[in-house]
């Protein structure tokens, strides 16, 4: 191993390493290559002195330049904020409806709204507002609490059945639990469910649906409207969904309907004015409105 | 050159009387008939000592072509940014401008946007094919005459020769002790080199901003730090690469020589030494006639080393075609001069094909140069196809480009009336200098209607009106709604068709998604 060996053909010393009969020649490096290597070493030494480099237990060498990545980040964020300020003040000063009329503000609100949405809203409402069971789709045209920009703005600000004086609905109170509270019996619940299915031409039991209409008129029409067009259509701010659409918040099959009628529903959304500033909420409202569901 | 005494005698530079050891050819070069020199016994140094090349001045046809190429190429380089080109108001009037800040490339009548960068791909492929074609025809002509590394090195060597004298003088100067004169020469040479380097770097940035404005700023010392940084960078690289690295760039850094052999065949013109005529080489003795030489078995090469001394790559062409040879032909000029002097036909080193060389060497008929060969025809055809494609593309270059991105979350939205809606991000690139209005229509989905987010307009059946500012990209969010009854399957093709007020049309094929049933 340690013995110096010469390659017969080239007369060059080998490194002594051998792979499957191939031996590596110990040729010298080109000068320029070596010099660049030395320069790199020198560079790293200078770097050690100027920049943070070595860990020291819980601390580290700070370097003469006092550079800090975190400070740079803070600076960058501050610079970014400053660059956005013009738009942010304009958005704060503009009513949420008027933002849409200004092309620049709209573009800014949409871009900002997207990231705020992904950060705060997408967890429940899905990326792009696609919704989930119990969490309304924000890209369709069904709105329980109003779909204008102003409505959406208000909903985001104060939430639904949330801990906020101006919240929509009443905390803890949603749709009556007709079965649990003993208002309707099992049969009646089945009948009214069939009736709701019949509204969408999906009922399989015409007789039950017929009976269910009476039950509906007596118990449900007050909130959902006589024609089941939803509370919003009849001018009530209680968030009762229309029952004649193709869209269902919790599911439109019979089992789910029975479950809903038996136990009631009371969806909740937090009031965001406690966590987000006004310009952010406005941007969000504009973004959500333009997801496609806006009215 | 302390190792002079150790030098083996055969490789002595007779004309200058110095002893320059030539680098041992890398493995794979000329057939290594003679066993290479044994490495030095003394403690082996960690690095390979670079044998400095001192190219000698030479006169002749190839040298003249090289001077001409140098003049033309440098002229193009320095003049191009100053050529003006009228593009109308609000547009730069520089013929060649790579406007990185505004992300537009201007090349005479061509104006490229970032999304048309594929033209650059085309140009690069074209350049590569051109290099292949040139190489298969005439060896490394690009390397010898047109490569920036060659051009600037040539310029630097010329300066060096002006200041320090020709080869012999330069060698003596380098070997001699440090004197005021030597220092003066070196300082002067490096100053001129630096000047050229600064001029090179300075001219480079003219391609990236308006040249007259930038020159004004330079004269008032108001150049931005970015510009200064780039000038510095190109100054440094020019100075180092042309002044010091020189042939090492071609030998060690450039990939081209490594696969040039795949581009060259026996019908390519290359620089060759006619060894059948030149060997055995030996010095010409005054008393000796050419007939006597022949009788002694000696050839036409008088072993004067002229060809070696002029070679900027520092090689001996008589060893055969080598990777390091840049095909500059200077050795031909050098040898022709000698042959003329000693009264022998020129062309002992010549620019010729191997086919012809074999034919002539074996006493056969000369083989004429074949311009048309499968590979040259193929390269030419490929170049024509690509150039044609680029040409047609540029001629038909639209003032309008659209791109459409479909929303993926949610894939589609079911509306309360049962219809299905898809959302798209729609970008209109208005590549003209006027604000334009467009009409958007969709086709492919029965009963589809269109609406635009944020414009306050209601859904309209069929078409929508959109606008875009001059030289800008306008972004819209477009909704396409279709009744469920009109859908065929979960996904069906949908075509956007945008028509400008003056009749230019752009289409984009996308899809419309719906529920599976
Ligand atoms: S061998 Fe001749 S052609 Fe090749 S680089 Fe040297 S001088 Fe130029
Ligand atoms: S210049 Fe011509 S004669 Fe002189 S050594 Fe080279 S090949 Fe031989």
């Amino acid at each position: 191993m340690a013995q110096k060996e010469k390659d017969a053909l080239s007369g060059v010393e080998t490194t002594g390493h051998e792979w499957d009969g191939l031996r590596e020649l110990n040729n010298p490096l080109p000068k320029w290559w070596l010099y660049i290597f030395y320069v790199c070493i020198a560079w790293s030494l200078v770097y050690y002195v100027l920049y943070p480099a070595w860990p020291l237990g819980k601390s580290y060498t700070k370097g003469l330049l006092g550079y800090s990545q975190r400070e740079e980040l803070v600076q960058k964020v501050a610079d970014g904020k400053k660059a956005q300020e013009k738009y942010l003040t304009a958005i704060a000063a503009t009513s949420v409806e008027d933002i849409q009329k200004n092309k620049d503000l709209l573009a800014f609100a949409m871009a900002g709204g997207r990231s705020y949405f992904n950060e705060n809203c997408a967890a429940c409402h899905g990326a792009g507002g696609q919704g989930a069971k119990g969490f309304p789709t924000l890209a369709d045209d069904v709105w329980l609490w109003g779909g204008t920009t102003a409505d959406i703005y208000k909903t985001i600000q104060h939430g639904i059945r949330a801990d906020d004086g101006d919240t929509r609905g009443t905390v803890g109170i949603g749709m009556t639990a007709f079965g649990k509270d003993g208002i309707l019996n099992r049969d009646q619940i089945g009948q009214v469910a069939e009736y709701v299915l019949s509204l969408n031409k999906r009922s399989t039991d015409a007789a039950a649906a017929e009976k269910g209409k009476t039950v509906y008129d007596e118990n449900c029409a007050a909130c959902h409207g006589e024609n089941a067009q939803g509370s919003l259509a009849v001018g009530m701010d209680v968030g009762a969904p229309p029952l004649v659409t193709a869209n269902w918040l919790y599911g439109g099959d019979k089992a789910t309907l029975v479950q809903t009628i038996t136990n009631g529903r009371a969806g909740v959304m937090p009031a965001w004015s406690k966590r987000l500033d006004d310009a952010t909420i406005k941007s969000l409202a504009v973004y959500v409105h333009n997801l496609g569901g806006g009215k | 050159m302390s190792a002079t005494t150790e030098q083996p005698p055969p490789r002595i530079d007779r004309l200058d009387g110095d002893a320059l050891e030539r680098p041992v050819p890398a493995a794979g070069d000329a057939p290594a008939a003679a066993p290479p020199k044994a490495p030095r016994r003394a403690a082996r140094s960690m690095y390979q000592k670079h044998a400095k090349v001192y190219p000698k001045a030479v006169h002749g046809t190839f040298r003249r072509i090289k001077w001409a190429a140098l003049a033309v190429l440098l002229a193009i380089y320095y003049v191009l940014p100053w050529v003006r080109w009228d593009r109308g108001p609000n547009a730069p009037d520089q013929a060649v401008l790579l406007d990185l800040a505004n992300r537009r490339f201007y090349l005479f009548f061509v104006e490229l946007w970032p999304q048309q960068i594929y033209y650059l791909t085309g140009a690069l492929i074209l350049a590569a094919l051109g290099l292949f074609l040139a190489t298969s025809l005439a060896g490394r002509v690009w390397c010898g005459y047109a490569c920036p590394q060659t051009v600037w090195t040539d310029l630097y060597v010329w300066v060096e020769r002006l200041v320090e004298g020709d080869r012999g003088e330069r060698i003596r100067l380098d070997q001699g002790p440090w004197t005021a004169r030597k220092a003066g020469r070196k300082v002067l040479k490096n100053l001129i080199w630096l000047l050229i380097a600064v001029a090179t770097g300075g001219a480079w940035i003219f391609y990236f901003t308006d040249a007259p404005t930038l020159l004004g700023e330079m004269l008032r010392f108001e150049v931005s730090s970015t510009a200064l940084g780039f000038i510095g960078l190109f100054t440094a690289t020019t100075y180092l690469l042309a002044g010091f690295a020189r042939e090492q760039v071609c030998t060690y850094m450039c990939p081209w020589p490594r696969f040039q052999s795949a581009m060259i065949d026996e019908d390519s013109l290359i620089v060759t030494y006619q060894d059948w005529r030149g060997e055995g080489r030996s010095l010409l003795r005054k008393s000796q006639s050419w007939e006597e030489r022949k009788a002694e078995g000696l050839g036409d090469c008088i072993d004067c080393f002229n060809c070696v001394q002029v070679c900027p790559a520092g090689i001996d062409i008589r060893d055969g075609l080598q990777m390091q040879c840049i095909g500059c032909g200077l050795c031909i000029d050098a040898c022709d001069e000698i042959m003329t002097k000693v009264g022998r036909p020129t062309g002992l080193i010549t620019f010729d094909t191997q086919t012809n060389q074999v034919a002539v060497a074996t006493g056969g008929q000369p083989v004429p140069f074949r311009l048309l060969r499968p590979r040259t025809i193929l390269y030419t055809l490929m170049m024509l196809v690509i150039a044609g494609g680029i040409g047609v593309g540029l001629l038909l270059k639209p003032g309008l480009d659209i791109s459409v991105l479909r929303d993926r979350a949610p894939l589609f939205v079911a509306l309360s009336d049962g219809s299905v809606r898809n959302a798209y991000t729609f970008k209109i690139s208005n590549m003209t200098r006027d604000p334009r209005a467009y009409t958007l229509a969709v086709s492919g989905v029965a009963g589809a209607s269109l609406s635009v987010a944020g414009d306050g307009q209601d859904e309209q059946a069929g078409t929508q009106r959109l606008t875009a500012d001059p030289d800008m990209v306008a972004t819209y969010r477009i909704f396409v709604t279709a009744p469920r009854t009109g859908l065929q399957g979960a996904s069906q093709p949908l075509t956007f068709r945008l028509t400008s007020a003056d009749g230019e049309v752009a289409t984009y094929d996308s899809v419309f998604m719906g529920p599976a049933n």
Side-chain angles (χ1 to χ4, degrees), chain A residues 9 11 13 26-29 31-32 34-35 100 103 106 110 127-128 130 139-142 245-247 290-293, chain B residues 36-37 39 44-50 248 252-253 409-410 413-416 418 421 453-454 467 469 476-477 479:
Chain A
L9 197 64
E13 220 166 69
N26 193 9
N27 271 320
L29 293 160
K31 199 178 182 178
W32 59 267
L34 207 71
Y35 284 170
Q100 307 228 38
K103 231 178 180 179
L106 174 63
M110 285 294 283
Q130 65 196 10
D140 67 9
D141 60 346
V142 177
T245 75
N247 300 25
N290 282 309
L291 278 176
Chain B
K37 273 166 257 146
R44 249 156 63 83
S45 159
M46 282 299 286
Y47 61 81
Q48 178 99 52
K49 196 157 179 2
H50 169 235
Q248 300 178 82
Y252 299 113
M253 302 183 191
V413 171
L415 297 183
S416 54
R421 188 175 64 197
T467 58
D469 291 339
Y476 289 97
R477 194 170 155 78
F479 299 111

Side-chain angles (χ1 to χ4, degrees), chain A residues 3 33 43 83 92 96 98 129 171 176 206 209 213 233 247 258 262 279 282 285:
Chain A
Q3 222 159 27
W33 192 97
W43 173 272
V96 73
D98 290 342
V171 181
T176 314
K213 180 168 171 36
N247 300 25
V258 167
T262 307
K282 276 181 178 160

Side-chain angles (χ1 to χ4, degrees), chain B residues 137-260:
Chain B
L137 285 177
R140 288 173 71 186
V141 274
W142 162 264
C143 306
Y145 296 88
C147 177
Q149 174 63 23
T150 295
V151 170
W152 263 272
T153 300
D154 221 16
L155 187 66
Y156 268 47
V157 172
W158 176 72
V159 169
E160 191 168 66
R161 200 172 284 139
L162 279 187
V163 178
E164 297 182 355
D166 205 1
R167 178 183 159 85
E169 270 183 80
R170 294 210 299 277
I171 293 173
R172 275 191 293 277
L173 191 70
D174 275 4
Q175 288 178 354
W178 276 97
T179 58
R181 181 179 160 275
K182 177 172 176 175
R185 292 284 145 115
K186 293 279 172 198
V187 168
L188 180 62
K189 176 184 81 176
N190 281 282
L191 272 182
I192 302 179
W193 278 1
L194 274 172
L195 216 67
I196 296 175
V198 172
T200 307
W204 181 249
I205 62 170
F206 285 145
Y207 285 87
F208 295 89
T209 34
D210 186 60
T213 317
L214 186 60
L215 184 69
E217 287 171 5
M218 283 176 166
L219 294 179
R220 292 193 304 275
F221 296 103
E222 289 170 359
V223 199
S224 70
S225 54
T226 323
L228 272 182
F230 276 101
I231 296 178
L233 183 69
F234 287 102
T235 303
T237 47
T238 308
Y239 180 65
L240 291 176
L241 294 185
F244 302 95
R246 296 194 178 171
E247 82 286 349
Q248 300 178 82
V249 173
C250 311
T251 309
Y252 299 113
M253 302 183 191
C254 178
W256 186 233
R258 307 276 158 187
F259 58 94
Q260 54 162 331

Side-chain angles (χ1 to χ4, degrees), chain B residues 38-67:
Chain B
R40 254 191 284 162
R41 291 296 131 109
R44 249 156 63 83
S45 159
M46 282 299 286
Y47 61 81
Q48 178 99 52
K49 196 157 179 2
H50 169 235
K52 191 171 171 192
V53 180
Y54 294 88
K56 198 169 90 164
V58 62
H59 308 279
T61 319
F62 290 97
R63 182 63 263 186
R64 272 196 296 277
I65 300 175
K66 236 167 118 59
W67 284 135

